[in-house]
Amino acid sequence: MADRRGEPPDPVAAALAAAFLDGPWTAADLAARGRRAVGRPRVRWVRTLAEQVLERFPRPPLDETRSLQAVVAWSTPYQEARTRASRAGEPLRVAHLATAATAMGRNRWGVPVLDTVADLAAFLELDDAHLDWFADVHRFQVRAPAGPLHHYRSRWTAKRGAPRLLEAPLPRLKAVQRTLLHRVLARFPVHDAAHGFVPGRSALTGAWDHVQARTVVRFDLEGFFAAVPAARVFGLFRQTGYAEPVAHVLTGLVTHVTPLTVLRTMPAGGSPDERHRLRRNLSRAHLPQGAPTSPALANLVALGLDRRLAGWARATGATYTRYADDLTFSSIDGIDPRRLERAVAGIAEDEGFRLNPAKTRVRGAGARQLVTGLVVNERPNVPREEFDRLKAVLHNCVQHGPDGQNREGHPDFRAHLQGRVARVEAVNPARGRRLRSSLDAIAW
């Protein structure tokens, strides 16, 4: 961890903070333990520092150890003492190092109680060394050569605009992230407007909110996962009560800095500005697209965005939903698209996101209105061309066998087809039954 000026942490300040937390919270007790930490039993500045710490923290900040270190490091008594000691040729040193106590603050959402980093390691069934390796809080992997020390497999995919980078965690880290997803992140609140990656919600539930609208307007957020920095993820874990050291390691487990060897292979696509933003976001700690925790964390980070956009929609008589990076507004009375775009772009920027103007779509009732890939003019339905393509693939699989039909190279073609058929069944049961009959007739 670096301090607020980007410099390495001060070991003496850290030792003083640990000493302060290692006993009764009074000025005299703090001063006595602080003097022992620096090995100077008669200095006066430690007492002054202790009084300032008490003024800033009336109670022991057991969940804010990093903040306490920063307060100590940048306090006037400590800075002046360090300057005097340096001029005298006797720099401040750590004479005694206490173990800094940490504990959860207010547990807002009933997440597992993890007071210390050791508790986190036990919760994840990892030893300290493996926890540190998976979290990689010092980001050693950024410049490490490709090989077994890396926790992610990266793959660029082409799309309209800048390319997309898929970063899939290897099995052991993926298992850790799944534990955090199901046992920690599942306790956090999600806005009612969010329909993607939320239990009980789906593309279909989001589409129903926009059926038979006069106007449907869709926006796309640029680089959704990469746009979420580690600082916002750290803030989420702090909001739920985890102490700073625990939140710091949790953040390391679910964020990633794209290695330089991967960034250098970015394929063509997108404008220079768009490519620059993507490279900048990927080169800092971000949510990796492909980690099981990233969709849930992105939803949580977007909570403020959803609240503000939903409030704006209510005030204007519109309906708002979000599926991952896809923002949809609709109204039975019509919408002024330009006014809406200005408002959405401004709110998104305030919340740390950016619209991709090339993907904005406005559709009236006379045109085909698509929401999360479903037609919503009369009722949610799968687009006719999607149904026809799937029907043709299934027919060819029945007639000629499935091996020659997997033209996109899906690793589990059977599961891929089952998923596509299930999607149609959920939206249009009658069409889905016809496709299911063909799927069942394939000789695997």
Side-chain angles (χ1 to χ4, degrees):
M1 167 207 160
D3 65 31
R4 65 185 180 186
R5 299 189 184 183
E7 299 172 358
D10 184 331
V12 178
L16 283 165
F20 289 160
L21 291 171
D22 192 31
W25 200 249
T26 68
D29 289 311
L30 265 64
R33 294 195 300 273
R35 291 178 180 126
R36 184 184 178 205
V38 295
R40 301 191 179 192
R42 290 182 293 277
V43 293
R44 297 179 180 178
W45 63 267
V46 177
R47 173 65 184 236
T48 306
L49 172 61
E51 292 171 349
Q52 290 187 4
V53 166
L54 282 172
E55 185 177 350
R56 172 64 177 81
F57 299 103
R59 291 178 294 277
L62 297 178
D63 64 330
E64 294 185 87
T65 54
R66 298 169 77 203
S67 296
L68 176 58
Q69 289 178 24
V71 167
V72 170
W74 297 107
S75 67
T76 300
Y78 177 73
Q79 287 289 320
E80 290 179 347
R82 192 169 70 165
T83 299
R84 288 194 301 270
S86 179
R87 288 174 179 170
E90 298 178 354
L92 294 180
R93 301 183 187 280
V94 177
H96 175 76
L97 182 59
T99 300
T102 62
M104 284 193 70
R106 177 190 171 198
N107 192 336
R108 298 180 63 187
W109 298 303
V111 297
V113 175
L114 305 170
D115 288 324
T116 67
V117 173
D119 292 339
L120 174 60
F123 173 73
L124 296 173
E125 298 181 355
L126 298 171
D127 57 37
D128 292 344
H130 279 90
L131 180 63
D132 185 62
W133 181 47
F134 284 132
D136 191 27
V137 294
H138 300 294
R139 304 303 180 188
F140 294 127
Q141 296 186 42
V142 178
R143 288 179 170 78
L149 293 180
H150 285 274
H151 299 310
Y152 290 84
R153 288 195 181 98
S154 302
R155 177 169 61 90
W156 291 100
T157 62
K159 66 182 185 67
R160 186 171 58 190
R164 175 184 289 116
L165 180 62
L166 301 179
E167 299 176 294
L170 296 181
R172 294 181 66 186
L173 177 58
K174 187 175 184 178
V176 169
Q177 292 174 341
R178 286 195 180 280
T179 297
L180 294 176
L181 172 64
H182 296 303
R183 298 182 62 185
V184 178
L185 299 180
R187 304 291 186 92
F188 285 57
V190 180
H191 197 275
D192 290 343
H195 289 265
F197 317 107
V198 179
R201 306 181 204 173
S202 64
L204 179 58
T205 61
W208 270 112
D209 287 347
H210 304 285
V211 167
Q212 297 183 1
R214 179 178 174 184
T215 309
V216 174
V217 184
R218 291 170 45 214
F219 302 99
D220 182 82
L221 295 175
E222 182 182 286
F224 184 49
F225 292 105
V228 178
R232 299 196 68 177
V233 177
F234 175 81
L236 284 174
F237 288 124
R238 288 288 293 124
Q239 286 176 29
T240 200
Y242 286 121
E244 288 173 334
V246 177
H248 189 49
V249 176
L250 283 168
T251 301
L253 291 170
V254 297
T255 60
H256 179 53
V257 179
T258 304
L260 298 176
T261 53
V262 175
L263 289 175
R264 294 189 186 109
T265 63
M266 181 190 293
S271 68
D273 287 345
E274 190 178 1
R275 292 173 63 81
H276 169 74
R277 288 191 294 270
L278 177 61
R279 185 183 294 273
R280 178 197 62 199
N281 290 341
L282 292 174
S283 64
R284 66 184 183 183
H286 61 276
L287 293 181
Q289 184 166 353
T293 45
S294 291
L297 285 165
N299 276 340
L300 298 173
V301 168
L303 182 61
L305 174 74
D306 289 335
R307 284 173 174 164
R308 294 179 65 183
L309 291 180
W312 194 95
R314 284 194 302 271
T316 57
T319 298
Y320 162 71
T321 63
R322 181 180 58 80
Y323 191 95
D325 57 356
D326 193 345
L327 317 178
T328 304
F329 293 80
S330 67
S331 173
I332 58 174
D333 299 320
I335 299 175
D336 181 345
R338 292 184 179 179
R339 179 176 174 232
L340 174 63
E341 184 169 12
R342 288 195 297 269
V344 173
I347 292 173
E349 186 174 354
D350 283 348
E351 294 294 329
F353 298 99
R354 181 185 181 91
L355 293 186
N356 184 343
K359 293 187 177 181
T360 298
R361 297 290 182 267
V362 181
R363 295 291 183 267
R368 187 174 68 167
Q369 298 170 330
L370 284 173
V371 176
T372 58
L374 300 176
V375 180
V376 296
N377 293 68
E378 297 298 329
R379 63 177 302 280
N381 208 346
V382 175
R384 183 71 201 194
E385 63 272 21
E386 179 182 336
F387 172 78
D388 289 342
R389 284 196 301 270
L390 180 54
K391 179 181 177 182
V393 169
L394 294 172
H395 174 78
N396 289 337
C397 286
V398 172
Q399 295 296 315
H400 309 292
D403 292 342
Q405 305 306 313
N406 188 11
R407 295 186 175 89
E408 296 180 358
H410 297 284
D412 190 339
F413 189 45
R414 185 175 187 175
H416 168 72
L417 292 180
Q418 288 173 336
R420 291 179 64 183
V421 170
R423 166 180 156 85
V424 178
E425 286 177 321
V427 177
N428 189 321
R431 284 185 175 181
R433 282 192 294 271
R434 297 200 295 273
L435 296 178
R436 176 65 62 178
S437 177
S438 297
L439 180 65
D440 292 341
I442 299 173
W444 297 96

